[in-house]
């Protein structure tokens, strides 16, 4: 039994290249296999009534990879959507994106924009892809947008607080993640959702993303269900001891 299902799950889908290298096949084959994991994890998320899923698909640092690998990765959204968009729509999925879309190739943006537009009325799982996303860039982007509004007199400086500021982030209107999962063995944030993860529970696994199964996903959900979240306060037992 899995109870206390997180409302918003963020995932760093790491280990695709290494998965392929271990098999002596090209790295792009690992990315392709990673797409299958996305499909299976989305199905599981729908089954367990997760409200929001945010997947780290392409970071601002990923441009440093060899050009053929980057080109291949940036074709995946269109390929994915050509096959799965009808099924996602049938399941009421709403697609969103976070990151700086302007630097992405036209074919990537076009496929993504179509998916966003044609699912915007859906009320099922909100599925966000972080594309050309970097947490520090996101914060800078928000600061600049807010400074412009301050300058134009649209907001006043004494009304600026955490809530107000967070409206300028790419994640406007999204709840903060309850659970962050990172596959592939690394235990770091790699510039993902820096502001939004302030109170999020972290769960790490050595399993590489192409091998990340429903069973492993449920382990993360079960583990999360057992944790007590305090948001900087104390839990009831501690409160009783301290008083
Ligand atoms: C590569 C593992 C699906 C991570 C999964 C452009 C690395 C496979 C999408 C996708 C990627 C994005 C937007 C959308 C629909 C699907 C995707 C990228 C990488 C970065 F609307 N998989 N996938 N996007 N990989």
């Amino acid at each position: 039994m899995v109870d206390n299902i997180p409302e918003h799950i963020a995932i760093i889908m790491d280990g695709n290249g290494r998965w392929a290298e271990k098999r002596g096949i090209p790295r792009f084959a690992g990315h392709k296999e990673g797409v299958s994991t996305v499909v299976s994890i989305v199905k599981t998320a729908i089954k367990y009534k997760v409200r929001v899923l945010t997947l780290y698909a392409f970071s601002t640092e990923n441009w440093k990879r060899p050009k053929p690998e980057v080109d291949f990765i940036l074709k995946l959204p269109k390929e994915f959507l050509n096959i799965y968009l009808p099924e996602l729509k049938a399941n009421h999925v709403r697609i969103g994106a976070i990151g700086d879309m302007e630097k992405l190739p036209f074919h990537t943006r076009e496929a993504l924009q179509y998916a966003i537009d044609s699912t915007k009325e859906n009320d099922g799982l909100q599925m966000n892809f972080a594309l050309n996303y970097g947490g520090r860039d996101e914060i800078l982007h928000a600061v600049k947008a807010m400074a412009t509004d301050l300058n134009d007199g649209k907001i006043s400086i004494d009304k600026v607080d955490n809530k107000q500021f967070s409206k300028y982030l790419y994640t406007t209107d999204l709840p903060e993640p309850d659970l962050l999962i990172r596959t592939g063995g690394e235990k770091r944030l790699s510039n993902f959702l820096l502001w939004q993860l302030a109170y999020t529970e972290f769960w790490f696994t050595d399993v590489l993303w192409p091998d990340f199964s429903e069973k492993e996903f449920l382990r993360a959900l079960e583990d999360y269900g057992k944790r007590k979240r305090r948001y900087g306060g104390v839990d009831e037992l501690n409160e009783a001891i301290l008083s």
Side-chain angles (χ1 to χ4, degrees):
M1 238 303 270
V2 186
D3 47 23
N4 186 22
I5 293 291
E7 189 180 3
H8 183 178
I9 303 176
I11 308 183
I12 302 177
M13 308 183 287
D14 197 17
N16 301 286
R18 268 178 288 144
W19 180 91
E21 279 164 7
K22 262 178 42 185
R23 283 167 176 71
I25 57 176
R27 287 173 61 86
F28 74 81
H31 300 309
K32 194 152 177 108
E33 195 60 28
V35 173
S36 308
T37 307
V38 172
V39 175
S40 96
I41 292 311
V42 171
K43 284 183 183 156
T44 309
I46 293 171
K47 187 158 97 190
Y48 285 89
K49 301 198 162 49
V50 172
R51 274 228 308 132
V52 187
L53 192 62
T54 300
L55 304 176
Y56 205 3
F58 192 81
S59 80
T60 49
E61 282 76 35
N62 287 155
W63 296 106
K64 292 180 205 149
R65 294 187 181 177
K67 185 156 190 311
E69 185 177 338
V70 169
D71 289 348
F72 181 86
I73 292 173
L74 293 176
K75 282 183 194 135
L76 292 175
K78 188 170 182 174
E79 203 179 309
F80 176 100
L81 293 165
N82 279 341
I83 303 169
Y84 299 107
L85 187 57
E87 201 178 327
L88 293 172
K89 282 181 177 167
N91 284 292
H92 316 285
V93 171
R94 184 170 172 216
I95 292 172
I98 60 171
D100 183 3
M101 302 299 132
E102 277 168 39
K103 290 182 186 72
L104 295 173
F106 180 73
H107 64 83
T108 310
R109 269 185 294 145
E110 185 186 41
L112 200 62
Q113 199 55 53
Y114 177 77
I116 293 169
D117 292 342
S118 63
T119 61
K120 67 172 191 290
E121 309 290 347
N122 290 355
D123 60 0
L125 173 74
Q126 162 93 35
M127 186 180 179
N128 303 306
F129 291 93
L131 295 177
N132 193 26
Y133 175 88
R136 289 183 176 178
D137 279 357
E138 178 188 37
I139 292 170
L140 278 182
H141 177 266
V143 166
K144 287 180 184 177
M146 196 173 71
T148 306
D149 280 357
L150 283 167
N151 234 333
D152 296 348
K154 284 185 189 151
I155 55 169
S156 80
I157 191 131
D158 38 81
K159 292 234 174 64
V160 175
D161 56 10
N162 288 320
K163 192 168 175 239
Q164 169 95 312
F165 178 75
S166 67
K167 288 191 174 46
Y168 290 92
L169 297 169
Y170 294 128
T171 49
T172 332
D173 300 330
L174 289 181
E176 286 171 10
D178 304 292
L179 174 64
L180 171 84
I181 296 173
R182 179 170 188 152
T183 65
E186 309 291 352
K187 292 186 179 65
R188 52 177 175 258
L189 228 41
S190 299
N191 207 11
F192 193 39
L193 299 174
L194 294 180
W195 172 280
Q196 297 87 341
L197 295 173
Y199 294 103
T200 303
E201 297 287 335
F202 289 6
W203 195 86
F204 298 101
T205 174
D206 290 335
V207 172
L208 304 174
W209 180 252
D211 291 329
F212 190 66
S213 59
E214 166 162 322
K215 201 171 148 206
E216 189 72 2
F217 188 33
L218 292 183
R219 244 180 230 143
L221 295 184
E222 260 161 38
D223 195 9
Y224 172 86
K226 290 181 199 136
R227 297 188 196 179
K228 278 207 168 47
R229 301 186 64 192
R230 290 196 296 269
Y231 303 95
V234 290
D235 64 25
E236 283 155 45
L237 180 61
N238 267 318
E239 209 148 35
I241 294 165
L242 292 169
S243 64

